[in-house]
Every structure is written in C-alpha cells, then in structure tokens.
C-alpha cells in the first residue's frame, strides 16, 4: 500500500530515512516529497549572541532549522574551532531545551547536551521549562518567522525572561507541483498523505486537491501533531489520525491503524 509523506528525506546512520524504514516494517511503501524550503536570516547577529553564553541562561530549539542556523554560523571565520575549544562547554553548563528527538539529535551533533526532548510540542516544552527555571538570565530562542506564540507567552506569564531571534523563514519548495504531478502519474492516488506542518499543508493542498479530484475522499489524511491536525480541520479535511508523538515509530503505528477498516 502506498503512502505519501510531505517532508524532506533525511538519511540516518543506516543510510535510510527513518520514516520510510518504519513504514516499511508495516508493509507500507512510503514516498517523501519536500514541500518547504528555508532561507536563513540574521546569522551575524545570531553568531554574536552564540559567542556570548555568559549573557544567557540557556538555549531553546524547537526546530531542526534553528540548529542548522547554528551550524551555518560556526562555518564562518573559523568559529567552529572556538566552539569546540570553549563556547560549547560554556553552553553545556546551561540548560539546552529542545522539542522532539529529531531536533535533539541535531543539537547533540554540535556537542550540546539536551533536555525536554520527550516533550512532543512547544506547549509541553514550555510547561517543562516553567517547572525548572527561575527568573535570571534570558533564554536564547532562535526561531522561524512562523513560530507560534504559545511558548513565549507561557514563559512570559511565568516571569521567565526569553530573547527570541528570527533566524530563518519558510518558503514553498520550488518543486512541489512537479514532484506531486510525477508521483500521481507514476504511483496513482496514495492511500494516505501525512502533513508535517500547517505551512506544508498551505503550500501543497491545492495541488493535491487538483490531482486527486473526486477520489480525494479515498485518502486518509494524517497529521504529525495537534497543530497540524487543527490546520487540516480548518481546511475542512477529515483527520484520520494524529501521531501520538512526532516520531517515525508513532507515525507508522498511527498510519497503519488509520488504514485499517475501523480507522485510528
């Protein structure tokens, strides 16, 4: 059975995308199509802040792109050597909060220890931070233009200082239409389509509706989390399943259940 995931392919240490592998364990043939691209912003300002950990109480990462922004900063002017020699340990003396295992893995690769990765979304991470932090130095929060305000608001309400910096913006992937056309012409209508973000839904839905036509009712629509599920519902699409956590294992189990006659 063929399923479509609207996300970038990411190879793991086994050389395969973990979502494709997990779905394959259930006999599902998954295809990945990226629907978003990212442009990085304010990197000189971000680098300046990363170079002064003494001014902050810690870091917050809620997306892989924010970690990529760190990597881009460290590529400049031999900053990677300075990072390894001193900055990394100074940041590790502080709290580094993350949402999800995928983001945590990337943060670990740049040498930082993480906490909060089992929080499945920004709201749960905010609750975790509020349970651990007392007002002192601000937490540095590199984020995107589409960040939700729930985490900043919850921290502010608890008197926990935070400094956010927009380091990337989300734009439509230039190959969305062509890749979807190719998929539908070669594979036909998928049994399910998984959306990984509200912006991914926004940029791909019209093409999916046009290609699916009257057969769109056959497709089980799946969301990676509650925010994306809400965006699907707003568009009037039935949400067959929402993954219990944003992981390949939870998503694969959810899709398998959704594709069974009784649904998810």
């Amino acid at each position: 059975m063929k399923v479509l995931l609207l996300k970038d392919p990411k190879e793991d240490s086994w050389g395969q995308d973990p979502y494709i592998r997990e779905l394959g364990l259930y006999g599902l043939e998954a295809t990945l199509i990226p629907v978003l691209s990212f442009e990085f912003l304010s990197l000189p300002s971000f680098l300046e802040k990363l170079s002064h950990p003494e001014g902050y109480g810690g870091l917050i990462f809620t997306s892989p792109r924010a970690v990529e922004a760190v990597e881009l900063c460290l590529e400049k002017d031999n900053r990677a050597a300075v990072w390894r020699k001193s900055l990394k340990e100074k940041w590790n003396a502080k709290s580094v909060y993350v949402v999800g295992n995928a983001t945590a893995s990337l943060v670990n690769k740049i040498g930082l220890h993480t906490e909060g990765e089992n929080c499945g979304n920004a709201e749960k991470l905010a609750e975790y931070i509020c349970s651990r932090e007392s007002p002192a130095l601000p937490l540095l929060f590199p984020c995107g233009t589409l960040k939700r305000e729930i985490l900043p608001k919850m921290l502010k309400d608890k008197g926990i200082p935070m400094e956010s910096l927009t380091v990337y913006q989300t734009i439509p992937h230039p190959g969305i239409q062509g890749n979807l056309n190719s998929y539908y012409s070669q594979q036909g209508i998928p049994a399910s389509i998984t959306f990984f973000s509200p912006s991914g839904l926004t940029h791909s839905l019209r093409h999916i509706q046009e290609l699916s036509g009257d057969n769109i009712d056959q497709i089980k629509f799946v969301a990676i989390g509650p925010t994306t599920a809400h965006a699907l519902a707003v568009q009037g699409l039935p949400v067959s399943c929402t993954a219990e956590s944003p992981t390949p294992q939870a998503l694969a189990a959810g899709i398998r259940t959704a594709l069974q006659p009784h649904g998810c």
Side-chain angles (χ1 to χ4, degrees):
M1 197 173 288
K2 300 180 189 299
V3 298
L4 180 59
L5 309 183
L6 300 180
K7 69 176 288 293
D8 285 337
K10 301 279 187 185
E11 287 189 2
D12 60 13
S13 54
W14 287 280
Q16 187 181 28
D17 185 278
Y19 286 91
I20 287 182
R21 186 174 59 253
E22 286 295 325
L23 286 160
L25 295 176
Y26 293 121
L28 299 171
E29 183 183 338
T31 299
L32 306 180
I33 293 180
V35 292
L36 301 175
S37 292
F38 303 93
E39 292 180 346
F40 290 92
L41 312 167
S42 307
L43 294 184
S45 177
F46 188 28
L47 177 58
E48 177 67 18
K49 296 176 189 301
L50 287 172
S51 301
H52 293 282
E54 68 277 3
Y56 298 95
L59 285 160
I60 302 173
F61 292 104
T62 59
S63 74
R65 253 61 56 188
V67 190
E68 290 176 30
V70 175
E71 294 172 334
L72 290 171
C73 287
L74 298 182
E75 290 174 2
K76 298 179 181 296
D77 304 326
N78 200 32
R79 292 289 181 149
V82 180
W83 177 263
R84 289 192 299 269
K85 186 175 180 180
S86 62
L87 288 178
K88 179 179 69 173
E89 291 311 313
K90 289 178 180 178
W91 281 112
N92 270 330
K94 304 170 184 294
S95 296
V96 181
Y97 299 107
V98 300
V99 168
N101 292 319
T103 302
S105 177
L106 291 174
V107 175
N108 294 154
K109 284 181 181 177
I110 61 173
L112 297 179
H113 310 311
T114 59
E115 55 183 301
E117 52 262 47
N118 292 327
C119 301
N121 55 51
E123 182 176 3
K124 290 179 180 176
L125 181 65
E127 291 172 356
Y128 178 82
I129 294 172
C130 290
S131 73
R132 296 178 55 82
E133 288 287 332
S134 56
L137 294 171
L139 299 170
L140 179 58
F141 177 32
C143 56
T145 50
L146 299 178
K147 81 174 189 302
R148 296 173 67 216
E149 292 302 322
I150 189 161
L151 186 147
K153 183 179 186 305
M154 288 177 69
L155 296 191
K156 182 179 179 181
D157 289 347
K158 291 289 186 179
I160 298 171
M162 187 197 73
E163 183 179 322
S164 57
L165 178 67
T166 301
V167 295
Y168 68 92
Q169 64 179 351
T170 305
I171 59 175
H173 190 282
I176 295 175
Q177 186 169 6
N179 289 333
L180 284 171
N181 287 346
S182 176
Y183 177 88
Y184 271 76
S185 63
Q186 295 173 22
Q187 310 272 7
I189 294 174
S192 80
I193 298 178
T194 301
F195 296 93
F196 284 75
S197 68
S199 51
L201 170 66
T202 299
H203 297 314
S204 60
L205 180 57
R206 178 173 58 84
H207 303 304
I208 289 167
Q209 289 170 326
E210 290 174 355
L211 289 164
S212 302
D214 294 338
N215 295 314
I216 197 166
D217 293 341
Q218 299 175 14
I219 301 170
K220 301 290 187 183
F221 291 107
V222 178
I224 193 64
T227 305
T228 305
H230 176 72
L232 279 163
V234 167
Q235 291 289 345
L237 295 174
V239 182
S240 296
C241 189
T242 303
E244 290 189 1
S245 64
T247 63
Q249 295 79 10
L251 180 66
I255 291 175
R256 181 188 66 164
T257 304
L259 292 176
Q260 292 173 351
H262 56 76
C264 182

